Coordinates of all heavy atoms in Angstrom, one line a residue:
I20 N -54.6 31.7 77.2 CA -55.1 32.8 77.9 C -56.5 33.1 77.4 O -56.6 33.3 76.2 CB -54.2 34.1 77.8 CG1 -52.8 33.8 78.5 CG2 -54.8 35.3 78.3 CD1 -51.9 35.0 78.4
V21 N -57.5 33.1 78.3 CA -58.8 33.3 77.9 C -59.4 34.5 78.6 O -59.4 34.5 79.8 CB -59.7 32.0 78.2 CG1 -61.1 32.2 77.7 CG2 -59.1 30.8 77.6
T22 N -59.9 35.5 77.8 CA -60.5 36.7 78.4 C -62.0 36.5 78.4 O -62.5 35.7 77.7 CB -60.0 37.9 77.6 OG1 -60.5 37.8 76.2 CG2 -58.5 38.1 77.6
D23 N -62.6 37.4 79.2 CA -64.1 37.3 79.2 C -64.7 38.7 79.6 O -65.4 38.9 80.6 CB -64.5 36.3 80.3 CG -66.0 35.9 80.2 OD1 -66.7 36.4 79.3 OD2 -66.5 35.2 81.2
G24 N -64.3 39.7 78.8 CA -64.8 41.0 79.0 C -64.3 41.5 80.4 O -63.1 41.5 80.7
G25 N -65.2 42.1 81.2 CA -64.8 42.6 82.5 C -64.7 41.5 83.6 O -64.3 41.8 84.7
R26 N -65.0 40.3 83.2 CA -64.9 39.2 84.2 C -63.5 38.6 84.2 O -62.7 39.0 83.3 CB -65.9 38.1 83.8 CG -67.4 38.5 83.8 CD -68.3 37.5 83.2 NE -68.4 36.3 84.0 CZ -68.9 35.1 83.6 NH1 -69.4 35.0 82.4 NH2 -69.0 34.1 84.4
P27 N -63.2 37.7 85.1 CA -61.8 37.2 85.2 C -61.2 36.6 84.0 O -61.9 35.9 83.2 CB -61.9 36.2 86.4 CG -63.0 36.7 87.2 CD -64.0 37.2 86.2
T28 N -60.0 37.0 83.7 CA -59.2 36.4 82.6 C -58.4 35.2 83.2 O -57.9 35.4 84.4 CB -58.3 37.4 82.0 OG1 -59.0 38.3 81.3 CG2 -57.2 36.8 81.1
V29 N -58.2 34.2 82.5 CA -57.5 33.0 83.0 C -56.3 32.6 82.1 O -56.4 32.6 80.9 CB -58.4 31.8 83.2 CG1 -57.7 30.5 83.6 CG2 -59.5 32.1 84.2
F30 N -55.2 32.4 82.8 CA -54.0 31.9 82.1 C -53.7 30.5 82.6 O -53.5 30.2 83.8 CB -52.8 32.8 82.4 CG -51.5 32.4 81.8 CD1 -51.4 31.5 80.7 CD2 -50.3 32.9 82.3 CE1 -50.2 31.2 80.1 CE2 -49.1 32.6 81.7 CZ -49.0 31.7 80.6
A31 N -53.8 29.5 81.6 CA -53.7 28.1 82.0 C -52.6 27.4 81.3 O -52.3 27.7 80.1 CB -55.1 27.4 81.7
T32 N -52.0 26.5 82.0 CA -51.0 25.5 81.5 C -51.3 24.2 82.1 O -52.2 24.0 82.9 CB -49.6 25.9 81.8 OG1 -49.4 25.7 83.2 CG2 -49.3 27.4 81.4
A33 N -50.5 23.2 81.7 CA -50.7 21.8 82.3 C -50.5 21.8 83.8 O -50.9 21.0 84.5 CB -49.9 20.8 81.6
D34 N -49.7 22.8 84.3 CA -49.4 22.9 85.7 C -50.5 23.6 86.5 O -50.4 23.7 87.7 CB -48.1 23.7 85.9 CG -46.9 23.0 85.2 OD1 -46.9 21.7 85.2 OD2 -46.0 23.6 84.7
G35 N -51.5 24.2 85.9 CA -52.6 24.8 86.6 C -53.0 26.2 86.0 O -52.5 26.5 84.9
C36 N -53.8 26.9 86.7 CA -54.4 28.1 86.2 C -54.1 29.3 87.2 O -54.1 29.1 88.4 CB -55.9 28.0 86.0 SG -56.4 26.8 84.8
I37 N -54.0 30.5 86.7 CA -54.1 31.7 87.5 C -55.2 32.6 86.9 O -55.5 32.5 85.7 CB -52.8 32.5 87.5 CG1 -52.4 32.9 86.1 CG2 -51.7 31.7 88.2 CD1 -51.2 33.8 86.1
S38 N -55.8 33.3 87.7 CA -57.0 34.2 87.3 C -56.8 35.6 87.8 O -56.4 35.8 89.0 CB -58.3 33.5 87.8 OG -59.4 34.3 87.5
Q39 N -57.1 36.6 87.0 CA -57.1 38.0 87.4 C -58.3 38.7 86.8 O -58.7 38.4 85.6 CB -55.8 38.6 87.0 CG -54.6 38.1 87.6 CD -53.3 38.9 87.2 OE1 -53.4 40.0 86.7 NE2 -52.2 38.3 87.5
T40 N -58.8 39.6 87.5 CA -59.9 40.5 87.0 C -59.4 41.7 86.4 O -58.5 42.4 87.0 CB -60.9 40.8 88.1 OG1 -61.4 39.7 88.7 CG2 -62.0 41.7 87.6
P41 N -59.8 42.0 85.1 CA -59.2 43.2 84.5 C -59.6 44.5 85.2 O -60.6 44.6 85.9 CB -59.9 43.2 83.1 CG -60.4 41.8 82.9 CD -60.7 41.3 84.3
P42 N -58.8 45.5 85.1 CA -59.1 46.8 85.7 C -60.4 47.4 85.2 O -60.6 47.3 83.9 CB -57.9 47.7 85.4 CG -56.8 46.8 85.0 CD -57.5 45.6 84.4
P43 N -61.3 47.9 86.0 CA -62.6 48.4 85.5 C -62.3 49.8 84.8 O -61.7 50.7 85.3 CB -63.4 48.6 86.7 CG -62.4 48.8 87.8 CD -61.3 47.9 87.5
V44 N -62.8 49.9 83.5 CA -62.6 51.1 82.8 C -63.8 51.4 81.9 O -64.6 50.6 81.7 CB -61.3 51.0 81.8 CG1 -60.1 50.9 82.6 CG2 -61.5 49.9 80.8
A45 N -63.9 52.7 81.6 CA -65.0 53.1 80.6 C -64.6 52.7 79.2 O -63.4 53.0 78.8 CB -65.3 54.6 80.7

């Protein structure tokens, strides 16, 4: 699982990746 601040976070396995953007917060 690789995060990138407010940019999309990616969860990867050998079967592929899913990506989600974190909720915007102060």
Side-chain angles (χ1 to χ4, degrees):
I20 292 182
V21 182
T22 62
D23 193 9
R26 300 172 67 191
T28 290
V29 175
F30 180 14
T32 69
D34 296 327
C36 298
I37 60 172
S38 175
Q39 293 184 19
T40 300
V44 294

